[in-house]
Amino acid sequence: MALTTAQLQELAEAQSARAETRRPTVPALEKMLFEALPVLDHGFVRVIDYMGDDAAVVQAARVSYGRGTRAANEDRGLIRYLMRHWHSTPFEMCEVKFHVKLPIFVARQWIRHRTANVNEYSARYSIMDREFYIPAPEQLAAQSSSNRQGRGDILQGAEAEEVMALLRRDASQTYDHYAQMLNEGEDGQPADPSRQGLARELARMNLTLNTYTQWYWKTDLHNLLHFLRLRADPHAQYEIRVYAEAMMQVLEAWVPTVAEAFRDYRLGAATLSSQMLAVTRRLLAGEAVEQAGSGLSKREWRELMEMLGRPV
Amino acid sequence: MALTTAQLQELAEAQSARAETRRPTVPALEKMLFEALPVLDHGFVRVIDYMGDDAAVVQAARVSYGRGTRAANEDRGLIRYLMRHWHSTPFEMCEVKFHVKLPIFVARQWIRHRTANVNEYSARYSIMDREFYIPAPEQLAAQSSSNRQGRGDILQGAEAEEVMALLRRDASQTYDHYAQMLNEGEDGQPADPSRQGLARELARMNLTLNTYTQWYWKTDLHNLLHFLRLRADPHAQYEIRVYAEAMMQVLEAWVPTVAEAFRDYRLGAATLSSQMLAVTRRLLAGEAVEQAGSGLSKREWRELMEMLGRPV
Amino acid sequence: MALTTAQLQELAEAQSARAETRRPTVPALEKMLFEALPVLDHGFVRVIDYMGDDAAVVQAARVSYGRGTRAANEDRGLIRYLMRHWHSTPFEMCEVKFHVKLPIFVARQWIRHRTANVNEYSARYSIMDREFYIPAPEQLAAQSSSNRQGRGDILQGAEAEEVMALLRRDASQTYDHYAQMLNEGEDGQPADPSRQGLARELARMNLTLNTYTQWYWKTDLHNLLHFLRLRADPHAQYEIRVYAEAMMQVLEAWVPTVAEAFRDYRLGAATLSSQMLAVTRRLLAGEAVEQAGSGLSKREWRELMEMLGRPV
Amino acid sequence: MALTTAQLQELAEAQSARAETRRPTVPALEKMLFEALPVLDHGFVRVIDYMGDDAAVVQAARVSYGRGTRAANEDRGLIRYLMRHWHSTPFEMCEVKFHVKLPIFVARQWIRHRTANVNEYSARYSIMDREFYIPAPEQLAAQSSSNRQGRGDILQGAEAEEVMALLRRDASQTYDHYAQMLNEGEDGQPADPSRQGLARELARMNLTLNTYTQWYWKTDLHNLLHFLRLRADPHAQYEIRVYAEAMMQVLEAWVPTVAEAFRDYRLGAATLSSQMLAVTRRLLAGEAVEQAGSGLSKREWRELMEMLGRPV
């Protein structure tokens, strides 16, 4: 699955190429173009192509609102207005294409975002590389006891060593057997001439879910922000969050004004239910409100106190 | 709805701008960039931005099929293979953004293609321009007597003149009343100070469906081809087909190899049902086959004979 | 466009039909099935079919979270949790199909929600009915002076009368000319045998945007909620909001627990930006915060004070 | 991942439940409702819910075409017309929901169809069951030498035995280690009290791609047909094709007229490129056409000869 020599050459050419264009161009992103941002132990994210910039969002909004936006004479103000009021179509006017290398179990979570275009490396056609994700020791966490979808303490000592050894050994062994079943030599000829070799589309089933795959993933800016809102969130699984964080760097370079508004109105924002709003108003009026009688469940109460920066 | 002075200036700047980019660039399309291709009496199509080229389709396919496509050493062959076998994802890796000016009744047909991004001029926020589509005399067709969705003979003489007069007069009158109800002067002040003026979101309902609107329309190449297959087809209504034809010019400049494959495997192709295939085989075997007993309805028989270039 | 006799008969049969099913069934919604909820002067919304219920949302969530939700032993609690944390896929497991009759300018706004299935009455194939929306006097509002997308005072006296008269007259006249151009008699024969009649696909362009159309609109519950959040909102245009309100009645009958959570966590909720949260915390700490120095624009300050129930 | 006792009970109740409904109901499908159609060694497909029937397709088309379809007085004819001319929206008016149990590598292929609603069992929240797909001996095929995505001869003797043993052993071993790392006993308490247990979201990465997962998969009829066209095709991988074939049975029971049209105009049909059409016409005119000079590649020539039932 590593890039072929031909592909690497193509990429080197792409990187050294310089063309003149009349399209909107973002120098800060041009600098990052094609460069792999490393993620996890063998993964990466790199931008392959993009369309549009901050100004393209503004331009699209102005086509919609026409003369109506004469007053909004400042682009930043307009972008912030659009973000605050959940206008989505102007953000759809920008597009970005990533090349991503990622473990299969991360890919399975990622693909649930359906509004993107994807071309994945095919293990039906081709042979997977011998690369798997093994967590760093500080990521080897126990199951959280309070949260069924979270992590607790970091495993220590013998248990940590044993887990690490099992992950390494099983991934190696299943890959070795995969290669053995395929029976393909370097030259494409059978490694062992007395055997036929199992079809690739079957042999792949012996690989573990931490095997790395890769894909091209293309999305518009609106859907990218939606992805980042869910996956750059502290509740997202660490192994996908680090990809989202790398993409946040791309976002900052590409559309800095949109990125700023996104931080203010999405990542750093909080939604209060009608009951939470009622409690907040009572608190502001000086009332002593307790969870009991607040109309909030214990969990919601805790969430609200956290948002408001108050002790639970 | 005509572009504001500020917008025109923006565009002039865009057109004269030259930037250096490392992205795939298509010189033939760069030449057409921002230029309005005229359509109908006041409409146009112009490319505002694009992402990718013929090579981007190939590159995406090669990520999917990896080493498996070493043999397909020719890009044109690979593109034709992908088109023939209905592979869609590699074509989704290219994107294009159009600015289109079109009559509302055409926009209503167009918008049924849901897999695109759209920002339309808003008559709720802004005032529509005084521009409507009036068919050219040679497009003023009677209802087809054989096809409920088609056109028949061109209207002549008094009937043609009357229709033309009605279309012109009604569009003018309803627009004048629209403006009168709005009661907005050039300077944004009430034209008649004794009246308040009807809200734009209400006044717009008095406009006729041939009033021009405009939008930004962004789509990936796969969905563009799907749109063109349906709308560049001789059965499509003339008023949308001319837009599709203008976009075909863009396609040829942008991705010439894809355009060629599209002509061969889509526009010029025909799908034969299992019964049609059976009839074709019998004909090739020298049998004399008649519609009765062919398993085809009269309509299907006619369609097949047309495909096969035989007299009905 | 009124239903044909054949269609009416079909519907009467549907309404009187009773079948036994093993599918989830909602008696409260069964009662409303096929019944037209009147909207505006000639429009309606009616439920034609549905799939799933409150329990189907829970069931889908439990497939996802498997044994993990043993603790969440109460369906209402689980539904509220899913809504609060923006889980969308369990809500996608319910589906509903509406038959809607609505003015064309409303349809144009509605269709921007792309994630639904639509079959609209075709003016290319068929003849439109002589029905147009004329606002009730209390809806005849002036343009808002403070908000470019809103309405201000209700028009009074001579201006109101004139506007009403213009809307009525233009809609009638353009429809009459539409019919005249078509030249089709009741019997499908030319009304005036000396004329051919203009093709339907052309004649329709003479109609005004308040002409009624109709469609079947089918969507999943998640996307219905998204539609309702935007269109049942006080900022939505009145003419589409009344459709959303009729659909809210359907929602209450169909999935009462989801509807309740939707009211609490969406319709009645508010999103606070990171700056708004910071101001709220300062206020709760007893600080005297002014707009200047708050980090909020005047508009955002006003919005926040409104959310918190404080004087601006 | 096997259904919990609570879920099984829910299902038993669903199966024995009988409710009265006014919705379109399909007795033949009601009989299959909830019943698992077995697929592969441990998988299944079962219908959980549905909306619409053959008549719903017709009804939607008639709303679109209104009076225009008075002539098409036969439902079957209309459905066949819609299918032949690639009308998609009337087919979108029916919906079906499946519960599917399938190996992960099949799920990864399946999920590429993005236009469906999915709720998958979450290995982040819950513990996977000890079930994996092991091919039947007659499916243990070698890599095809002519087709990079296909299978060749069935493996025999020692090679077959060895492959089978490797698949079985690796799946068992990686699952055992998965359970060991989790360290969860039957009672939810640590199996070994001296260890904390690895978080589920991490431990899952040790499983192989033939591990079974399950999901709810809901789609409209148009997209189901698209799925079936690609996956019930002889070129589809066997392991997904068998799921498509089970769903074909559902299709036949649910919408028999649509299913018949689908077989005639999709599954049994063939698309001829413009060059293929030209060759066919020449053959029909009695010309002796050879591949060289035909304008077709060797591969296309072979495909055409196959379609036309002629020797290559």
Side-chain angles (χ1 to χ4, degrees):
Chain A
M1 186 185 21
L3 301 180
T4 60
T5 316
Q7 283 177 319
L8 284 173
Q9 194 178 329
E10 242 177 73
L11 291 173
E13 280 163 24
Q15 274 184 303
S16 65
R18 292 287 182 282
E20 205 182 65
T21 187
R22 297 155 83 188
R23 291 174 290 169
T25 300
V26 182
L29 190 57
E30 290 280 336
K31 270 184 212 153
M32 300 175 71
L33 221 54
F34 307 119
E35 237 171 78
L37 304 175
V39 183
L40 299 179
D41 50 356
H42 300 291
F44 61 73
V45 166
R46 50 186 205 122
V47 183
I48 290 294
D49 206 346
Y50 69 94
M51 173 197 272
D53 54 8
D54 275 335
V57 176
V58 170
Q59 189 188 36
R62 292 218 165 111
V63 161
S64 287
Y65 311 136
R67 297 173 192 154
T69 51
R70 260 189 311 207
N73 50 9
E74 205 213 310
D75 289 2
R76 180 169 170 276
L78 179 53
I79 284 176
R80 294 177 73 78
Y81 174 89
L82 296 169
M83 185 74 76
R84 194 161 76 248
H85 292 278
W86 301 86
H87 288 253
S88 55
T89 54
F91 298 104
E92 293 173 4
M93 286 290 138
C94 296
E95 193 89 13
V96 64
K97 181 159 51 166
F98 292 104
H99 180 192
V100 188
K101 190 171 157 193
L102 70 180
I104 290 175
F105 73 95
V106 174
R108 299 227 313 131
Q109 203 164 38
W110 192 311
I111 201 77
R112 293 178 53 189
H113 296 264
R114 287 157 297 177
T115 43
N117 308 120
V118 185
N119 277 271
E120 186 176 354
Y121 185 88
S122 168
R124 198 180 169 206
Y125 292 72
S126 304
I127 301 176
M128 300 292 279
D129 275 339
R130 201 183 195 286
E131 282 183 314
F132 3 89
Y133 167 61
I134 303 293
E138 67 274 19
Q139 288 304 329
L140 218 61
Q143 178 67 30
S144 162
S145 53
S146 65
N147 181 348
R148 297 192 69 86
Q149 60 184 304
R151 298 188 185 179
D153 305 331
I154 303 307
L155 298 188
Q156 307 289 345
E159 183 174 8
E161 275 168 42
E162 188 202 357
V163 162
M164 211 65 116
L166 287 175
L167 289 173
R168 281 215 182 85
R169 196 186 337 140
D170 280 357
S172 296
Q173 174 183 319
T174 53
Y175 188 89
D176 289 345
H177 291 160
Y178 164 71
Q180 183 183 335
M181 291 189 283
L182 286 176
N183 193 37
E184 295 197 33
E186 281 295 303
D187 53 358
Q189 296 304 310
D192 168 355
S194 75
R195 294 159 60 236
Q196 290 202 278
L198 186 65
R200 287 172 199 154
E201 66 178 30
L202 287 170
R204 61 171 164 171
M205 79 174 74
N206 205 58
L207 296 172
T208 49
L209 283 161
N210 53 351
T211 308
Y212 274 93
T213 183
Q214 58 176 289
W215 62 32
Y216 276 20
W217 191 73
K218 173 171 153 287
T219 187
D220 64 58
L221 177 54
H222 168 68
N223 281 294
L224 176 63
L225 296 179
H226 185 69
F227 178 88
L228 293 176
R229 182 156 72 99
L230 295 180
R231 303 305 178 184
D233 185 275
H235 295 96
Q237 179 165 352
Y238 168 80
E239 280 77 16
I240 196 167
R241 200 168 68 234
V242 285
Y243 285 90
E245 284 164 1
M247 291 158 91
M248 280 299 298
Q249 292 176 46
V250 173
L251 191 77
E252 303 279 1
W254 178 29
V255 283
T257 314
V258 170
E260 183 204 10
F262 176 64
R263 290 196 183 279
D264 290 344
Y265 298 113
R266 293 288 184 280
L267 288 190
T271 297
L272 275 62
S273 69
S274 60
Q275 288 87 349
M276 285 174 168
L277 273 175
V279 168
T280 307
R281 289 172 179 200
R282 288 169 63 193
L283 288 171
L284 281 169
E287 258 188 74
V289 192
E290 303 283 322
Q291 184 260 321
S294 69
L296 301 180
S297 69
K298 278 181 192 167
R299 184 164 187 160
E300 287 178 276
W301 178 263
R302 209 166 49 235
E303 285 175 17
L304 178 61
M305 291 304 111
E306 216 175 285
M307 288 176 201
L308 299 179
R310 294 167 75 92
V312 181
Chain B
M1 185 186 21
L3 301 180
T4 61
T5 316
Q7 284 177 318
L8 284 172
Q9 193 178 327
E10 243 178 73
L11 292 173
E13 280 163 23
Q15 273 184 303
S16 65
R18 294 287 183 284
E20 205 181 67
T21 187
R22 296 154 83 187
R23 290 175 290 170
T25 300
V26 182
L29 189 57
E30 290 280 335
K31 271 185 213 152
M32 299 176 70
L33 220 53
F34 308 118
E35 237 170 78
L37 304 174
V39 183
L40 298 179
D41 49 357
H42 300 292
F44 61 73
V45 166
R46 52 186 204 121
V47 182
I48 292 294
D49 206 345
Y50 68 94
M51 174 198 268
D53 55 7
D54 274 335
V57 176
V58 169
Q59 189 188 35
R62 293 217 166 111
V63 162
S64 286
Y65 312 135
R67 297 174 193 152
T69 50
R70 260 189 311 209
N73 50 9
E74 204 213 311
D75 289 0
R76 179 170 169 274
L78 179 53
I79 285 176
R80 293 177 73 79
Y81 173 89
L82 296 170
M83 185 74 75
R84 194 161 75 247
H85 292 279
W86 301 86
H87 288 254
S88 56
T89 54
F91 298 104
E92 293 174 5
M93 288 289 139
C94 297
E95 192 89 13
V96 65
K97 182 161 48 166
F98 292 103
H99 180 191
V100 188
K101 191 171 155 195
L102 70 179
I104 291 175
F105 73 95
V106 174
R108 297 224 316 128
Q109 203 165 39
W110 193 311
I111 201 77
R112 293 177 53 188
H113 296 264
R114 288 158 298 178
T115 42
N117 308 119
V118 186
N119 278 269
E120 185 175 354
Y121 185 87
S122 166
R124 199 183 168 203
Y125 293 71
S126 305
I127 301 176
M128 301 291 280
D129 276 338
R130 200 185 195 286
E131 283 184 313
F132 2 90
Y133 167 60
I134 303 293
E138 67 272 19
Q139 288 304 329
L140 218 60
Q143 178 66 33
S144 161
S145 54
S146 64
N147 181 347
R148 296 193 68 87
Q149 60 184 302
R151 299 188 184 178
D153 304 332
I154 303 307
L155 299 188
Q156 306 289 346
E159 184 174 8
E161 277 168 40
E162 189 201 356
V163 162
M164 212 63 116
L166 287 175
L167 289 174
R168 280 214 183 88
R169 195 183 342 139
D170 280 357
S172 295
Q173 174 183 319
T174 52
Y175 188 89
D176 290 344
H177 291 160
Y178 164 71
Q180 183 182 335
M181 292 189 283
L182 286 176
N183 193 38
E184 295 197 33
E186 282 294 306
D187 54 359
Q189 296 304 310
D192 169 354
S194 74
R195 292 158 62 235
Q196 291 202 276
L198 185 65
R200 289 173 198 151
E201 66 179 28
L202 288 170
R204 61 170 163 172
M205 78 174 73
N206 204 57
L207 297 172
T208 49
L209 284 160
N210 52 352
T211 308
Y212 273 93
T213 183
Q214 58 177 291
W215 62 31
Y216 276 20
W217 191 72
K218 172 172 154 287
T219 187
D220 65 57
L221 177 54
H222 169 67
N223 281 294
L224 176 64
L225 296 178
H226 185 68
F227 178 88
L228 293 175
R229 181 155 72 100
L230 295 179
R231 303 306 177 183
D233 185 275
H235 293 97
Q237 179 166 352
Y238 169 79
E239 280 77 16
I240 196 166
R241 200 168 69 233
V242 284
Y243 284 91
E245 284 164 3
M247 291 158 90
M248 280 298 299
Q249 292 176 46
V250 172
L251 191 78
E252 304 279 0
W254 178 28
V255 282
T257 313
V258 169
E260 183 203 11
F262 176 64
R263 289 195 183 280
D264 290 344
Y265 297 113
R266 293 288 184 280
L267 288 191
T271 298
L272 275 63
S273 68
S274 60
Q275 288 86 349
M276 285 174 168
L277 275 176
V279 168
T280 307
R281 290 173 180 199
R282 289 168 62 195
L283 287 171
L284 280 168
E287 258 189 73
V289 192
E290 303 284 322
Q291 183 262 321
S294 70
L296 300 181
S297 69
K298 277 181 194 168
R299 184 166 187 157
E300 288 179 275
W301 178 264
R302 209 167 47 236
E303 285 174 17
L304 178 61
M305 291 305 111
E306 216 173 287
M307 289 176 201
L308 300 180
R310 294 167 75 93
V312 180
Chain C
M1 187 186 21
L3 301 180
T4 61
T5 315
Q7 284 177 318
L8 284 172
Q9 193 178 329
E10 242 178 73
L11 291 173
E13 280 163 23
Q15 274 185 303
S16 65
R18 293 287 182 282
E20 205 181 66
T21 186
R22 296 155 82 188
R23 291 174 290 170
T25 300
V26 182
L29 190 57
E30 290 281 336
K31 271 186 211 151
M32 300 175 70
L33 221 54
F34 308 117
E35 237 170 78
L37 304 175
V39 184
L40 299 179
D41 50 355
H42 300 291
F44 61 72
V45 166
R46 52 187 203 120
V47 182
I48 291 295
D49 206 346
Y50 69 94
M51 172 198 271
D53 54 8
D54 274 335
V57 176
V58 170
Q59 190 188 35
R62 292 220 165 108
V63 163
S64 285
Y65 311 135
R67 298 172 192 155
T69 50
R70 259 189 312 209
N73 51 9
E74 203 213 310
D75 289 1
R76 180 171 168 274
L78 179 53
I79 285 177
R80 293 177 74 79
Y81 174 89
L82 295 170
M83 185 73 75
R84 195 160 75 249
H85 292 279
W86 301 86
H87 288 254
S88 55
T89 53
F91 299 103
E92 294 174 4
M93 287 290 138
C94 296
E95 192 90 11
V96 64
K97 181 160 50 166
F98 293 103
H99 180 192
V100 188
K101 190 172 157 194
L102 71 178
I104 291 175
F105 73 95
V106 175
R108 299 227 311 129
Q109 203 165 40
W110 192 313
I111 201 79
R112 292 178 54 189
H113 296 263
R114 288 157 297 178
T115 43
N117 308 119
V118 186
N119 278 270
E120 186 176 353
Y121 185 86
S122 168
R124 198 182 169 203
Y125 293 72
S126 304
I127 301 177
M128 301 291 280
D129 276 338
R130 202 184 194 286
E131 282 184 314
F132 2 90
Y133 167 60
I134 304 293
E138 67 274 17
Q139 288 304 330
L140 218 60
Q143 177 67 30
S144 162
S145 54
S146 64
N147 181 347
R148 296 194 70 85
Q149 60 184 303
R151 298 188 185 179
D153 305 332
I154 303 308
L155 298 189
Q156 306 290 345
E159 184 174 6
E161 276 169 39
E162 190 202 354
V163 162
M164 212 64 117
L166 287 175
L167 290 173
R168 279 213 183 87
R169 194 181 345 136
D170 281 356
S172 295
Q173 175 183 317
T174 52
Y175 188 89
D176 289 344
H177 290 160
Y178 164 71
Q180 185 182 333
M181 292 189 284
L182 285 176
N183 193 36
E184 296 198 33
E186 282 294 305
D187 54 359
Q189 295 305 309
D192 169 355
S194 74
R195 293 158 61 236
Q196 291 201 278
L198 185 65
R200 287 172 200 155
E201 66 179 30
L202 288 171
R204 61 170 164 172
M205 79 173 75
N206 204 57
L207 297 171
T208 48
L209 284 161
N210 53 352
T211 307
Y212 273 94
T213 182
Q214 59 177 288
W215 63 30
Y216 276 21
W217 191 74
K218 172 172 154 287
T219 187
D220 64 57
L221 177 54
H222 168 67
N223 281 294
L224 177 63
L225 296 179
H226 185 68
F227 178 88
L228 293 176
R229 181 155 72 100
L230 295 179
R231 303 306 178 182
D233 185 274
H235 294 96
Q237 179 165 352
Y238 169 81
E239 280 77 16
I240 196 166
R241 200 169 68 233
V242 285
Y243 284 90
E245 285 164 2
M247 291 156 92
M248 280 298 300
Q249 292 175 47
V250 173
L251 192 78
E252 304 279 0
W254 179 27
V255 282
T257 313
V258 170
E260 184 203 10
F262 176 64
R263 289 195 183 280
D264 290 344
Y265 297 112
R266 293 287 184 280
L267 288 191
T271 298
L272 275 62
S273 68
S274 59
Q275 287 87 349
M276 285 174 168
L277 274 176
V279 168
T280 307
R281 289 173 179 199
R282 289 169 62 194
L283 288 171
L284 280 168
E287 257 187 76
V289 193
E290 303 284 320
Q291 184 261 321
S294 70
L296 301 180
S297 69
K298 278 181 192 167
R299 184 165 187 160
E300 287 178 275
W301 179 264
R302 210 168 46 236
E303 286 175 15
L304 178 62
M305 291 306 110
E306 216 174 285
M307 288 174 198
L308 300 180
R310 292 167 77 93
V312 180
Chain D
M1 188 182 18
L3 301 179
T4 60
T5 316
Q7 283 177 320
L8 284 172
Q9 192 177 330
E10 242 177 73
L11 292 172
E13 281 163 23
Q15 274 184 303
S16 65
R18 292 287 183 282
E20 205 182 66
T21 188
R22 297 155 83 190
R23 291 174 289 171
T25 301
V26 182
L29 189 58
E30 291 280 337
K31 269 185 215 152
M32 299 174 71
L33 221 53
F34 308 117
E35 238 171 78
L37 305 174
V39 184
L40 299 178
D41 49 357
H42 300 291
F44 60 73
V45 166
R46 53 187 203 119
V47 183
I48 291 293
D49 206 345
Y50 69 94
M51 173 198 271
D53 55 7
D54 275 334
V57 176
V58 169
Q59 189 188 36
R62 293 219 165 112
V63 162
S64 287
Y65 312 135
R67 297 175 192 152
T69 49
R70 260 188 312 208
N73 52 9
E74 204 213 311
D75 289 1
R76 180 170 169 275
L78 179 53
I79 284 176
R80 293 177 73 79
Y81 173 89
L82 295 170
M83 185 73 76
R84 195 161 75 247
H85 293 278
W86 300 86
H87 287 254
S88 55
T89 54
F91 298 104
E92 293 173 5
M93 287 289 138
C94 296
E95 193 88 13
V96 65
K97 181 160 51 167
F98 292 103
H99 180 192
V100 187
K101 191 172 157 193
L102 70 180
I104 291 176
F105 73 95
V106 174
R108 298 224 318 126
Q109 202 165 39
W110 192 313
I111 202 77
R112 293 178 53 189
H113 296 263
R114 288 158 298 177
T115 42
N117 308 120
V118 186
N119 278 271
E120 185 175 355
Y121 185 88
S122 167
R124 197 182 170 205
Y125 293 71
S126 305
I127 302 176
M128 301 291 280
D129 276 338
R130 200 183 197 289
E131 282 183 314
F132 3 89
Y133 167 60
I134 302 292
E138 66 274 18
Q139 288 304 329
L140 219 61
Q143 178 67 31
S144 162
S145 53
S146 64
N147 181 348
R148 297 193 70 86
Q149 59 183 305
R151 299 188 184 179
D153 305 333
I154 303 308
L155 298 188
Q156 306 289 346
E159 183 173 8
E161 276 168 41
E162 187 201 357
V163 162
M164 211 65 117
L166 287 175
L167 289 173
R168 280 215 181 87
R169 194 182 344 136
D170 280 356
S172 296
Q173 173 182 319
T174 53
Y175 188 89
D176 290 344
H177 291 160
Y178 163 71
Q180 183 182 336
M181 291 190 282
L182 285 176
N183 192 38
E184 295 197 33
E186 281 295 303
D187 53 0
Q189 296 304 309
D192 169 355
S194 75
R195 291 158 63 237
Q196 291 201 278
L198 185 64
R200 288 172 199 154
E201 66 179 29
L202 287 170
R204 61 170 163 171
M205 78 173 77
N206 205 57
L207 297 172
T208 49
L209 285 161
N210 53 352
T211 308
Y212 274 93
T213 182
Q214 59 177 289
W215 62 31
Y216 276 20
W217 191 74
K218 172 173 154 287
T219 188
D220 65 56
L221 177 54
H222 168 68
N223 281 293
L224 177 63
L225 296 179
H226 184 70
F227 178 88
L228 293 176
R229 182 157 71 100
L230 295 179
R231 304 305 179 184
D233 185 274
H235 294 96
Q237 179 165 353
Y238 169 80
E239 279 78 15
I240 196 166
R241 200 168 68 232
V242 284
Y243 284 91
E245 283 163 2
M247 291 157 90
M248 281 296 299
Q249 293 176 46
V250 172
L251 191 78
E252 304 279 1
W254 179 27
V255 282
T257 313
V258 170
E260 184 204 11
F262 176 65
R263 289 195 182 282
D264 290 343
Y265 298 112
R266 294 286 184 281
L267 288 191
T271 298
L272 275 61
S273 68
S274 60
Q275 288 86 349
M276 285 173 167
L277 274 176
V279 168
T280 307
R281 289 173 180 200
R282 288 168 62 193
L283 288 172
L284 280 168
E287 260 187 73
V289 193
E290 303 284 321
Q291 183 262 321
S294 70
L296 301 180
S297 69
K298 278 182 192 167
R299 183 163 187 163
E300 288 179 276
W301 177 264
R302 206 166 52 234
E303 285 175 16
L304 178 61
M305 292 305 111
E306 216 173 285
M307 289 175 201
L308 299 179
R310 292 168 75 93
V312 180

